[in-house]
Amino acid sequence: MRKKPIERHQTLREKILETIRDSILKGTMKPGEKVAEPELAERFGISRTPIREAFRQLETEGYLTVIPRKGAVVTSLSERDVEEFYAIKSILEGYAARMAAENMTEKDIEKLESINDRLQQLADEGDIKTFFKVHNEFHDLFIRAAGNEKLRELIGQMMMRFNRLRMASLSLPGRMKISVEEHKKIIEAFKEHNGEKADNLVKKTANYGGQVLLQSMAREEGRTAEKAIYQQAVDV
């Protein structure tokens, strides 16, 4: 008999999460802006408990900063945040790809191709939210194939902490389609069981994602990005 209230609670929490994420990514809610609990409680017709739970989740993803006795505010992002995250991402995921190339089975590769076909369809449809979820499946498959559980845990924790950056990067015009093409190159490296090639491609993909985001941030602030991002792109 308790199932329906629990499901309703989870559904409302997801709606709150999606509403705040979308508002931040679209720029409706600006860095430093306070996110008011009372307004959300009234809007969704719920108590503040699920709202606070959503705030904690969004804090772990890098969207909000919860300040004691003041509430939640939109987290400000700096170029240094972007550079440091993508530098670490490139190293850890590159190493995972290198190890995975040795262990990758034909079934794993077929699964990667199936996932990437789905990503192609989602890119054509412009469905960024579903693309983001399926994109995670692609990366998790080869990270799991690396056979290092500690590495997988470490990457997973880091990805969760910087979900906002990853979503922002994939949301940029044309980025989803480029991601699909990058994946095709990575799959070919896995087919060849070429660890060095897989490592380099994954590193280039991560670097490109970071540089695209840096350029977008610079453009929003009315200045020119210092780095020539398209020199970082995988040759697709």
Side-chain angles (χ1 to χ4, degrees), residues 32-38 48 51-52 55-56 59 64-75:
E33 182 178 336
K34 185 174 181 180
V35 185
E37 284 184 25
R48 296 191 184 185
I51 294 173
R52 288 170 183 166
F55 282 2
R56 285 194 290 271
E59 186 172 34
L64 299 180
T65 299
V66 178
I67 303 171
R69 294 182 295 279
K70 290 187 177 181
V73 298
V74 179
T75 303

Side-chain angles (χ1 to χ4, degrees), residues 49-146:
T49 299
I51 294 173
R52 288 170 183 166
E53 290 175 357
F55 282 2
R56 285 194 290 271
Q57 173 69 28
L58 290 165
E59 186 172 34
T60 67
E61 295 178 9
Y63 288 91
L64 299 180
T65 299
V66 178
I67 303 171
R69 294 182 295 279
K70 290 187 177 181
V73 298
V74 179
T75 303
S76 298
L77 293 177
S78 67
E79 287 189 354
R80 183 170 181 175
D81 291 328
V82 176
E83 290 171 351
E84 291 181 349
F85 165 66
Y86 279 98
I88 297 169
K89 183 178 189 291
S90 70
I91 294 168
L92 294 181
E93 283 200 334
Y95 175 71
R98 180 182 289 268
M99 296 298 101
E102 300 176 7
N103 304 327
M104 195 70 67
T105 66
E106 287 187 14
K107 186 176 180 180
D108 289 332
I109 292 170
E110 288 174 3
K111 180 64 174 175
L112 285 175
E113 290 181 320
S114 176
I115 292 172
N116 208 41
D117 288 343
R118 174 64 173 147
L119 288 172
Q120 179 70 70
Q121 178 185 354
L122 294 168
D124 291 340
E125 295 170 356
D127 186 349
I128 178 60
K129 291 176 186 175
T130 308
F131 186 98
F132 184 70
K133 293 177 183 177
V134 179
H135 183 271
N136 287 345
E137 293 175 13
F138 183 96
H139 284 254
D140 188 59
L141 195 156
F142 77 73
I143 291 168
R144 188 188 296 269

Side-chain angles (χ1 to χ4, degrees), residues 3 31 67 75 78 82 89 95 99 131 136 152 167 175 198-199 201 204-205 214 219-220 225:
K3 188 175 182 180
I67 303 171
T75 303
S78 67
V82 176
K89 183 178 189 291
Y95 175 71
M99 296 298 101
F131 186 98
N136 287 345
R152 181 169 175 261
M167 176 68 90
R175 183 70 187 102
D199 185 346
L201 284 169
K204 286 182 180 179
T205 298
L214 285 172
R219 188 165 54 244
E220 287 177 2

Side-chain angles (χ1 to χ4, degrees), residues 21-37:
R21 285 192 195 110
D22 287 350
S23 296
I24 293 173
L25 289 170
K26 291 175 181 176
T28 307
M29 296 176 66
K30 306 293 184 184
E33 182 178 336
K34 185 174 181 180
V35 185
E37 284 184 25

Side-chain angles (χ1 to χ4, degrees), residues 19 46-47 49 57 65 101 119 154-155 167-168 187 217 222 231:
T19 297
I46 55 175
S47 70
T49 299
Q57 173 69 28
T65 299
L119 288 172
L154 184 59
I155 292 174
M167 176 68 90
I187 290 170
M217 291 169 67
Q231 293 176 5

